[in-house]
Amino acid sequence: MSVIYRDANADLSLLMDKQIAILGYGNIGRPIALNLRDSAFPVLIGNREDAYATQAYHDGFEVAAVADAVQRSNVIMLLLPDEVATQVYHQDIAPHLQQSDMLVFASGYNVAFGFIEPPPFVDVVLVAPQTVGQAVREGYVAGEGFPSFVAVGQDASGEAWPRVLAVAKALGALNQGAIEITFKMEAELDLFTQQALMPAIHSVIHSAIEVLSREGFPPEALFTSLYLSRELSYIAAKWADVGVLPSMKMHSLTSQYGTLSRIERFKEVKLDRQMEAVLGAIRAGDFAQEWATECADGYPRLESLWRRLQNMAIWRDEQRVLDMLRQNDRADS
Ligand code: NDP
């Protein structure tokens, strides 16, 4: 079983007199900066002078160049997209790290796959929210927190655990309990969700649309029945609230019987093998190498994959249905 850390396990006084740098003011950087400031900790934003910096000024923060922010801070939070963090780290962060600094990541990716290897004299820790940035802010403001993982990758000070827990508490990550993990496991789980669970769900939905279309169901009805009604997202929310089986009991007996009696038909051995292969490639670092090459080449495959999907008739039908339903919304209001 994993250790779960809660607010009572953390001592905020360990952050007293520490300057915190938030490098990157995007989806996750902005909510974390706002949460830390509301917890009464001094926050300095490290960013280039552009739209993100303008937003940070507008929110009342001091903004400095990344290298300057690192030099002036003891707790340095890297909240840049994984694919650019390596270059920024080598250029603007590594040369300015000092003894007993703490480097805080929100994703295990770059450390787990060896793209960033911090020097031995800094603590290297992880506070990884398991939700989107907006929920990180909303959860903090509501006093409810949000699900997160915490890890220590390198304990130079001998105090990395109490220090990461203090940071996690200050930004609201312990309110719901943060699960102890390793950098490697966090990165692998994240990639597995993206590369096995999401494609499998995508493929199932795609098949359902194709079958119903071929059988003559009108697009408005089939898209609404499958997911535009939000019944599917409501059910998924209930899985998180009460668990998969208890949530099934909230449906009619016809629905329960129909689902339970057909589950086995969709249980394919091939799916398990495919997921094992995806996980194997992630763990071996093959995906990380593939993605590094793709980034260095300017994303040619990502762009061609997008083009292929966008040209599919079913997704154009879906957009037409959405436009039509929105028109009805406007007419009603
Ligand atoms: P964003 O794309 O929103 O980050 C944008 C920020 O990165 C901006 O401040 C931008 O500033 C800066 N940035 C982008 N490119 C560069 C560059 N080349 N040099 C310097 N700065 C750059 O990323 P996210 O917030 O989504 O993700 C950040 C990290 O947090 C990732 O590790 C991600 O895995 C993790 N995470 C994200 C979550 C989310 O909800 N999005 C949830 C949990 C973890 P500018 O371009 O102006 O310089």
Side-chain angles (χ1 to χ4, degrees):
M1 293 294 274
S2 302
V3 179
I4 297 180
Y5 296 99
R6 302 186 188 278
D7 279 334
N9 302 115
D11 175 6
L12 287 180
S13 71
L14 292 173
L15 286 182
M16 292 280 237
D17 307 323
K18 301 278 189 247
Q19 175 65 53
I20 304 175
I22 299 290
L23 308 182
Y25 201 68
N27 293 321
I28 199 76
R30 182 172 185 247
I32 285 183
L34 293 169
N35 290 3
L36 287 169
R37 183 173 65 185
D38 287 351
S39 293
F41 290 100
V43 172
L44 171 63
I45 309 299
N47 211 87
R48 300 184 286 205
E49 284 295 330
D50 61 7
Y52 291 99
T54 306
Q55 175 73 60
Y57 287 125
H58 179 78
D59 292 338
F61 287 107
E62 182 186 352
V63 182
V66 171
D68 189 24
V70 175
Q71 245 162 5
R72 291 168 52 190
S73 303
N74 327 93
V75 175
I76 295 135
M77 300 195 70
L78 248 103
L79 304 176
L80 302 163
D82 291 332
E83 64 276 12
V84 304
T86 307
Q87 195 204 335
V88 176
Y89 172 81
H90 290 294
Q91 198 173 300
D92 292 323
I93 301 173
H96 306 290
L97 290 173
Q98 293 158 39
Q99 189 84 33
S100 81
D101 279 352
M102 177 160 73
L103 258 183
V104 187
F105 290 81
S107 144
Y109 189 91
N110 281 310
V111 171
F113 294 111
F115 296 114
I116 292 181
E117 289 179 23
F121 55 82
V122 297
D123 286 346
V124 182
V125 302
L126 176 78
V127 180
Q130 296 301 294
T131 185
V132 296
Q134 198 181 335
V136 165
R137 181 61 183 156
E138 287 171 2
Y140 178 91
V141 171
E144 292 166 0
F146 44 86
S148 353
F149 291 158
V150 285
V152 168
Q154 180 169 288
D155 188 357
S157 66
E159 288 210 319
W161 267 112
R163 290 172 85 195
V164 66
L165 293 180
V167 171
K169 179 174 180 174
L171 60 87
L174 298 191
N175 202 309
Q176 285 187 15
I179 299 168
E180 179 179 337
I181 199 168
T182 62
F183 272 67
K184 195 166 180 302
M185 221 178 249
E186 191 276 342
E188 289 170 356
L189 280 174
D190 207 27
L191 295 177
F192 182 82
T193 304
Q194 295 160 9
Q195 296 175 31
L197 183 64
M198 294 314 288
I201 290 174
H202 192 96
S203 163
V204 164
I205 288 184
H206 194 140
S207 294
I209 296 170
E210 300 259 57
V211 167
L212 293 173
S213 295
R214 271 202 304 274
E215 294 299 320
F217 289 86
E220 303 76 34
L222 78 85
F223 282 111
T224 300
S225 177
L226 287 176
Y227 59 89
L228 293 189
S229 64
R230 296 184 198 273
E231 188 186 3
L232 185 60
S233 33
Y234 181 82
I235 290 170
K238 284 290 162 207
W239 292 346
D241 287 343
V242 298
V244 171
L245 292 188
S247 78
M248 224 180 255
K249 292 255 169 76
M250 296 171 183
H251 297 273
S252 68
L253 283 180
T254 316
S255 163
Q256 291 176 32
Y257 177 75
T259 300
L260 294 175
S261 63
R262 264 67 178 169
I263 281 179
E264 286 305 314
R265 293 189 192 180
F266 291 91
K267 181 79 192 112
E268 282 211 50
V269 177
K270 190 168 156 247
L271 192 62
D272 285 12
R273 296 289 95 82
Q274 191 57 37
M275 287 190 171
E276 284 164 6
V278 165
L279 185 59
I282 291 169
R283 287 188 150 159
D286 297 349
F287 173 78
Q289 282 312 321
E290 177 187 329
W291 180 229
T293 306
E294 174 73 6
C295 296
D297 291 348
Y299 311 106
R301 183 148 187 242
L302 181 62
E303 282 170 18
S304 96
L305 290 165
W306 262 119
R307 267 196 306 277
R308 211 182 72 196
L309 266 189
Q310 280 163 338
N311 286 331
M312 285 179 141
I314 60 165
W315 304 123
R316 288 202 300 271
D317 287 346
E318 179 213 57
Q319 288 304 305
R320 268 200 297 277
V321 171
L322 272 169
D323 284 347
M324 212 180 68
L325 294 174
R326 284 190 196 124
Q327 271 170 22
N328 287 346
D329 280 352
R330 282 195 289 273
D332 289 348
S333 60

